Amino acid sequence: MLTLRLYMLQRITALLMAPLVLGHLAVMIYAIQGGVSAAEILGRTQGSLAWFLFYGTFVIAVSVHGAIGLRTVAHEWGGLKGPVLEGVMWGFGLILLLLGARAVWAVTFATGVSP
């Protein structure tokens, strides 16, 4: 039953990530027209709740999706089972979430950051 739930959760996060990836690529293609600097990027994202929510949602979806995928690989290829397998999944997911959340915070709300 857990395997089915994780399978469905991974598919749901994939459905959520698809438009976020397309949106991110569209923004990046638009933003680099004529060149863009780090200061210009921060000028567009600093203090923006919309960018915080967009990329925050992206980070959460990627963290869950990636952790479940790694769990599958660790089980099938590495032979991990039980608490070790679950620990790898949760640890990897938490690391992704923390690193992603730090990056999102840095480009949207952190102060005193100089490019």
Side-chain angles (χ1 to χ4, degrees):
M1 189 59 129
L2 175 63
T3 305
L4 175 62
R5 287 183 184 162
L6 291 175
Y7 175 85
M8 293 306 296
L9 185 57
Q10 191 174 40
R11 295 321 180 255
I12 291 167
T13 56
L15 286 171
L16 183 59
M17 286 187 317
L20 295 173
V21 167
L22 294 175
H24 172 72
L25 290 174
V27 167
M28 292 302 106
I29 290 169
Y30 174 76
I32 63 169
Q33 299 299 314
V36 65
S37 69
E40 290 171 321
I41 291 170
L42 290 175
R44 294 174 185 173
T45 60
Q46 286 289 296
S48 173
L49 181 61
W51 287 122
F52 177 78
L53 292 174
F54 179 86
Y55 282 111
T57 302
F58 206 162
V59 163
I60 291 168
V62 166
S63 300
V64 171
H65 188 87
I68 294 169
L70 179 68
R71 181 186 185 275
T72 302
V73 170
H75 175 68
E76 291 178 2
W77 290 7
L80 298 181
K81 295 179 180 164
V84 173
L85 180 62
E86 301 306 317
V88 167
M89 179 188 73
W90 282 101
F92 184 73
L94 185 60
I95 289 168
L96 282 178
L97 181 64
L98 292 174
L99 291 173
R102 183 173 185 256
V104 170
W105 183 261
V107 297
T108 54
F109 292 114
T111 57
V113 178
S114 345

